[in-house]
Amino acid sequence: MELTPQETVTKHEQILRYIGALAVGSKISVRKIAKDVGVSEGTAYRAIKDAEASGLVATKERIGTVRIEPKARNNIDKLTFAEVVNIVDGAVLGGAEGLDKTLGKFVIGAMQLEAMVKYIDAGSLLIVGNRERAHATALELGAGVLITGGFGASPAVRKQADELALPIISSSYDTFTVASLINRAIYDRLIKKKILLVEDIMTPSSETDMLKGHMTVSDWNATVERTGHSRFPVVDDYHRLIGMVTSKDVVGASPGERIDKVMTKNPITVGARTSVASAAHMMVWEGIEQLPVTDSARKLLGIISRQDVLKGMQFIQKQPQIGETIEDLILASFEEEREADGRIAFRGTITPQMTSSFGTVSEGVLTTLMSQASFRAIKLVKKGDLVLDSMSTFFLKPLQIDNEIVIRPQLIELSRKFGKVDVEVHHGASLVAKAILTAQLIDQM
């Protein structure tokens, strides 16, 4: 691997670049990479694990570690046949070369073959029992086959699958269980797709203005004039973050003072896979306007600003709802109402899904109900995004299945950055839970 004379990178970065330059499908081994790049096997192993975490490589059964094409987040709701094998605890009977292909849809073969072919097309997966003609027909139409009930496939079908590079998989589960498992996996991915990550909104390092530690305050002044900004990350010769420098840091410093002498060392950072909500909480709590984004080796990947976070959260709120989380499902079963004094309240019934193994309401479910009701009370007065800061629960009394409860949040304090709510839960005339929580508000500027 060749590097330009001006470029200085760590051994870890050299290995990642080496892996990134390999063709998709290339096999990767610790010993070979250590030899080719000239590093220890321990260094090579750590870099391969980092590459696996970032989606550059994957370890596959009976194949080993191979270079793969990183998945775009806009395709996160798609499954590959290889992932289906893991989901259903299956065994690959043939067509292993097609395991990386994307599954478009799945078809349950619970009808006559002539009717079934209307729904089978290239990229789909036929879920069917021990029906050899259906297996062969699906492969001819460009679809993979998942055989349920632990049945196998004939030698002719296996050969056909190998020739067409279309997987034929066997699972011991029944058809209903297999379909449920695959559907659940797709549903979970839809929820992940809705979660905005830092990597989705950050300004990459290639577009980030930064300074080196050996530069001077005079260089900082020149960068301010050129960019119109006053906050910059500071990196070393390996592009690793060593600090942040702002206008407050250079006040009173001479023009020749080195940046690494005036900068703020060990700044707070986030990873690229951190959720935007977590980053927003951190920025509000710490009172900072800009966060550097780094990898596990503290190499600077980019930056996010408070404005980036606000725009990102506003954007995701405008997207159609896809995939409901536990919080969505819990509060959806409660009706919002207004009481005689005008205060908001939520009325609902304890369902079996909300209970513990003892038949009483789960403490986690009850605290979630109280926090979500409190957020709603705050949003009626002040628009914006909210992040839970603290919650003190005074007592929780047991609630049984089918008990009707009323949640009554009362806003007791509201400022520009914080909201405080007293929330009570009543069952009939009895007070069964009470808590006080505070939430951080993120102004939508």
Side-chain angles (χ1 to χ4, degrees), residues 396-434:
L396 295 170
K397 291 184 178 179
L399 287 167
Q400 310 297 320
I401 295 174
D402 295 332
N403 281 168
E404 184 180 76
I405 62 173
V406 180
I407 308 168
R408 296 186 171 98
Q410 175 64 40
L411 189 62
I412 57 178
E413 186 179 342
L414 185 63
S415 65
R416 188 172 67 86
K417 290 188 176 181
F418 286 91
K420 183 180 288 186
V421 181
D422 179 288
V423 56
E424 297 180 347
V425 181
H426 293 261
H427 169 51
S430 301
L431 180 63
V432 296
K434 183 178 176 67

Side-chain angles (χ1 to χ4, degrees), residues 105-174:
K105 66 177 182 180
F106 63 88
V107 179
I108 297 176
M111 60 191 83
Q112 294 295 324
L113 182 59
E114 292 73 16
M116 196 187 305
V117 295
K118 299 177 183 178
Y119 303 96
I120 303 173
D121 49 30
S124 58
L125 174 69
L126 175 65
I127 302 175
V128 69
N130 189 22
R131 298 173 61 182
E132 185 175 344
R133 280 190 59 209
H135 304 166
T137 302
L139 292 171
E140 291 171 2
L141 294 173
V145 179
L146 174 52
I147 306 172
T148 59
F151 293 108
S154 68
V157 169
R158 294 189 185 201
K159 181 180 178 182
Q160 182 183 10
D162 289 334
E163 291 174 349
L164 297 173
L166 289 169
I168 184 161
I169 305 161
S170 176
S171 173
S172 59
Y173 297 128
D174 58 56

Side-chain angles (χ1 to χ4, degrees), residues 105-330:
K105 66 177 182 180
F106 63 88
V107 179
I108 297 176
M111 60 191 83
Q112 294 295 324
L113 182 59
E114 292 73 16
M116 196 187 305
V117 295
K118 299 177 183 178
Y119 303 96
I120 303 173
D121 49 30
S124 58
L125 174 69
L126 175 65
I127 302 175
V128 69
N130 189 22
R131 298 173 61 182
E132 185 175 344
R133 280 190 59 209
H135 304 166
T137 302
L139 292 171
E140 291 171 2
L141 294 173
V145 179
L146 174 52
I147 306 172
T148 59
F151 293 108
S154 68
V157 169
R158 294 189 185 201
K159 181 180 178 182
Q160 182 183 10
D162 289 334
E163 291 174 349
L164 297 173
L166 289 169
I168 184 161
I169 305 161
S170 176
S171 173
S172 59
Y173 297 128
D174 58 56
T175 301
F176 176 80
T177 302
V178 163
S180 298
L181 289 170
I182 296 174
N183 191 58
R184 179 72 257 179
I186 294 174
Y187 194 75
D188 288 346
R189 286 168 178 249
L190 289 172
I191 293 175
K192 290 181 181 179
K193 185 176 180 181
K194 188 179 69 171
I195 298 173
L196 200 64
L197 301 180
V198 164
E199 66 181 1
D200 297 321
I201 65 169
M202 72 178 186
T203 301
S205 60
S206 59
E207 302 174 16
T208 299
D209 295 296
M210 65 190 77
L211 297 171
K212 293 286 186 71
H214 61 76
M215 291 181 173
T216 64
V217 172
S218 179
D219 294 317
W220 178 87
N221 288 325
T223 308
V224 170
E225 292 182 9
R226 178 173 58 83
T227 65
H229 302 297
S230 61
R231 300 170 183 269
F232 306 103
V234 184
V235 299
D236 62 13
D237 290 335
Y238 294 99
H239 205 67
R240 294 177 301 203
L241 183 74
I242 58 174
M244 288 288 291
V245 60
T246 70
S247 54
K248 292 181 181 179
D249 297 317
V250 301
V251 171
S254 64
E257 189 79 25
R258 284 173 59 109
I259 290 295
D260 56 10
K261 300 297 182 182
V262 298
M263 70 182 185
T264 300
K265 298 180 180 179
N266 301 317
I268 298 171
T269 64
V270 292
R273 304 289 294 178
T274 303
S275 71
V276 170
S278 296
H281 185 283
M282 197 179 302
M283 295 176 88
V284 172
W285 181 255
E286 299 292 340
I288 52 182
E289 298 292 326
Q290 191 179 81
L291 272 175
V293 184
T294 61
D295 63 11
S296 58
R298 289 191 70 81
K299 179 184 175 183
L300 185 68
L301 302 178
I303 57 169
I304 57 168
S305 66
R306 188 182 178 91
Q307 289 72 26
D308 293 332
V309 169
L310 294 174
K311 288 178 182 178
M313 295 184 77
Q314 290 167 5
F315 170 79
I316 204 64
Q317 287 178 351
K318 296 176 183 178
Q319 301 309 300
Q321 184 76 7
I322 44 177
E324 292 179 311
T325 62
I326 293 295
E327 290 181 352
D328 297 328
L329 293 171
I330 290 174

Side-chain angles (χ1 to χ4, degrees), residues 77-96:
D77 53 320
K78 301 293 187 182
L79 290 172
T80 64
F81 289 106
E83 290 169 315
V84 170
V85 174
N86 293 328
I87 291 168
V88 302
D89 296 327
V92 180
L93 305 180

Side-chain angles (χ1 to χ4, degrees), residues 383-404:
K383 301 297 183 184
D385 297 302
L386 296 167
V387 181
L388 181 65
D389 182 57
S390 66
M391 185 172 183
S392 299
T393 305
F394 297 113
F395 59 88
L396 295 170
K397 291 184 178 179
L399 287 167
Q400 310 297 320
I401 295 174
D402 295 332
N403 281 168
E404 184 180 76

